[in-house]
Amino acid sequence: MPIDDLDRTDRLILTHLQRDGRISNQDLAQRVALSPSPCLRRVKRLEDQGYIRRYVALADPEKLGLGLLAYVFVRLDKSHRAEHGAMSAFARDVQSWAEVVQCYAMSGDMDYLLRVQVEDLAAFSRFAMDTLMRHPAVVDIRSSFALQSIKETTELPT
C-alpha cells in the first residue's frame, strides 16, 4: 500500500501506536473513532504491509549506566572500499559491536556514521582503540559527543 493509500484513520492509528505501543485495542479504537474489530483489522494490515515494523520498549541509557553518547564518522581505506568484500565485512562486523546502536552508510567524505552508547569516555576510548581502529578496513574516525539532548523521539510524522 503506497503512502497515498493511508487514510486519516490509518495515520491516526500510527500516531497513537508510535506514542504508546502498549495501548489496548479498545483504547486505540476509541481514540480513532472506530469499533474494536475494524481497528484491529487496520492495525494488522499496517503490520502485514510493513508500516509497523515491530514493537519495542525504549530503555533509559542513563539508568543503565550508559551516559555517553557519541557519533562516529568512519572512513574506510580506499583500496578496501573498492573491494566490495571489505565493505561487506565492516557492515557485517558492526552488527556484533554492542556499543553501536545505529549504523548508517553515508554519502560524502566518510563512509559510515555510527551512534555509539557507552558508560563513559574510558569505555568509548577502549571501543575506539581496541575495536574500531583495529578493523582492517578502517582508516579514519571522527567522533563527536552529545552534550545535551534537546529533542529525542522515535515518532515519525504521519
Side-chain angles (χ1 to χ4, degrees), residues 50-119:
Y51 287 97
I52 298 171
R53 292 190 303 192
R54 62 188 167 154
Y55 297 90
V56 299
L58 299 176
D60 185 323
E62 293 283 335
K63 291 200 181 277
L64 294 172
L66 301 171
L68 184 73
L69 174 60
Y71 290 92
V72 183
F73 281 101
V74 178
R75 186 165 46 94
L76 301 184
D77 185 321
K78 300 290 187 221
S79 62
H80 285 294
R81 193 169 43 186
E83 301 169 18
H84 184 67
M87 296 272 301
S88 295
F90 182 84
R92 179 196 67 235
D93 293 345
V94 78
Q95 300 296 321
S96 67
W97 300 338
E99 300 88 347
V100 177
V101 294
Q102 289 180 312
C103 176
Y104 298 96
M106 303 297 288
S107 63
D109 301 8
M110 302 302 258
D111 299 303
Y112 291 94
L113 173 63
L114 310 180
R115 183 172 151 232
V116 177
Q117 191 85 51
V118 292
E119 296 87 353

Side-chain angles (χ1 to χ4, degrees), residues 39-53:
C39 183
L40 189 58
R41 280 194 299 273
R42 282 179 180 251
V43 170
K44 179 72 173 131
R45 189 184 79 235
L46 290 167
E47 292 169 348
D48 291 346
Q49 294 178 342
Y51 287 97
I52 298 171
R53 292 190 303 192

